[in-house]
Amino acid sequence: MAKDMTLWWGSGSLPCWRVMIALEEKKLQGYNQKLLSFEKGEHKSKEVMDVNPRGQLPAFKCGDKIINESYGACFFLECEYKSQGTKLIPENSSEKALVLQRTFEGNTLHQKTVDVFMYNRRVPENERHESAFKRLKETLTGEVQMWEGYLQKTPGGFLAGKNFSMADVIVYPSVALLFRMGLSDKRYPKLSEYHKNLKDRPSIKATWPPLWKDTPGQDFFKDI
């Protein structure tokens, strides 16, 4: 099974990390993987473009099937290998509804995080405004507070109840980035506890971004 799969990925990419966590949880170790350098532009190589014409990572191929979007790849793996490894989407309709809700809300957290993190890289210097950046940070603060509230109300230590689920596969990388870049443990105690508790989960530990192991974090999100 795993021998027929190939993942092209970049270290530090949250979408790539999601797919790698899902592969580990579904016991699909041994897949073919190619670590590429964003700095060298390897994600724009012909090999990647043949699989993902957008020139983005991850690029993922399972047999003759191509699923490049991280959400799609993770859901494909759960649907295709439902009885193998961790069950990421429960059968119970109420539990399933919460897992799906938190999973797709994860895209909002990710986008608001990226909006702040990439502001100075994406916006030309002469077009930057402190007021605009401040609004983005305030929007992210409200979003992070929402997730802190979810964990306060949800027993079990995971984002959607007592079991690790697709919501954790999708959202944990964003939470990990926030804390790596200075999010306050004291201001967000539940999120901090969640971050620390899952850090040693086998699927997460095995796929922790090499770039993060080799470079220190920063205090970019200390004011969030």
Side-chain angles (χ1 to χ4, degrees):
M1 291 182 290
K3 293 179 181 179
D4 294 329
M5 300 178 185
T6 302
L7 175 70
W8 292 262
W9 63 286
S11 184
S13 162
L14 304 190
C16 293
W17 195 7
R18 295 169 186 158
V19 180
M20 297 175 81
I21 293 172
L23 284 161
E24 290 288 324
E25 291 289 340
K26 300 310 292 183
K27 303 299 181 188
L28 291 166
Q29 295 91 344
Y31 58 92
N32 302 299
Q33 54 174 299
K34 299 186 179 183
L35 173 59
L36 304 179
S37 168
F38 289 110
E39 289 73 19
K40 295 178 182 178
E42 292 176 348
H43 57 301
K44 301 294 184 181
S45 66
K46 183 180 184 302
E47 181 182 13
V48 174
M49 296 293 283
D50 285 345
V51 180
N52 188 348
R54 293 182 184 275
Q56 297 173 343
L57 301 178
F60 181 64
K61 193 170 184 180
C62 180
D64 60 355
K65 297 174 283 292
I66 294 173
I67 318 100
N68 293 318
E69 292 298 321
S70 62
Y71 272 60
C74 291
F75 273 81
F76 172 81
L77 292 170
E78 172 62 12
C79 293
E80 198 76 359
Y81 304 98
K82 187 175 291 188
S83 61
Q84 182 171 318
T86 305
K87 192 171 187 61
L88 297 174
I89 300 177
E91 296 292 340
N92 178 276
S93 60
S94 295
E95 294 175 358
K96 182 187 296 184
L98 182 58
V99 167
L100 294 176
Q101 176 63 31
R102 294 289 179 265
T103 297
F104 284 91
E105 278 186 280
N107 189 53
T108 303
L109 175 64
H110 175 72
Q111 190 57 57
K112 290 179 180 179
T113 300
V114 170
D115 286 345
V116 173
F117 189 59
M118 299 296 289
Y119 182 79
N120 287 338
R121 300 185 193 183
R122 291 180 173 176
V123 180
E125 189 173 357
N126 63 338
E127 296 178 16
R128 297 173 196 162
H129 298 283
E130 185 58 36
S131 59
F133 187 52
K134 181 181 178 182
R135 283 195 300 272
L136 289 175
K137 290 199 293 184
E138 289 172 347
T139 300
L140 176 58
T141 297
E143 182 68 23
V144 176
Q145 288 172 345
M146 187 172 291
W147 288 91
E148 175 73 11
Y150 288 159
L151 284 168
Q152 289 174 358
K153 298 173 184 176
T154 306
F158 299 107
L159 289 176
K162 61 183 180 179
N163 296 313
F164 186 91
S165 72
M166 185 66 78
D168 302 292
V169 171
I170 295 295
V171 179
Y172 183 82
S174 295
V175 173
L177 174 64
L178 284 164
F179 281 104
R180 170 176 164 78
M181 302 304 287
L183 192 69
S184 171
D185 292 302
K186 292 183 178 179
R187 201 173 298 135
Y188 301 103
K190 283 294 184 181
L191 269 173
S192 177
E193 181 182 11
Y194 169 77
H195 170 240
K196 291 173 181 176
N197 286 346
L198 263 65
K199 198 170 184 179
D200 287 328
R201 187 176 177 88
S203 64
I204 291 171
K205 193 171 183 178
T207 57
W208 198 264
L211 179 66
W212 292 12
K213 295 178 182 177
D214 299 335
T215 58
Q218 301 175 25
D219 59 359
F220 192 83
F221 292 122
K222 66 179 182 180
D223 298 326
I224 298 299

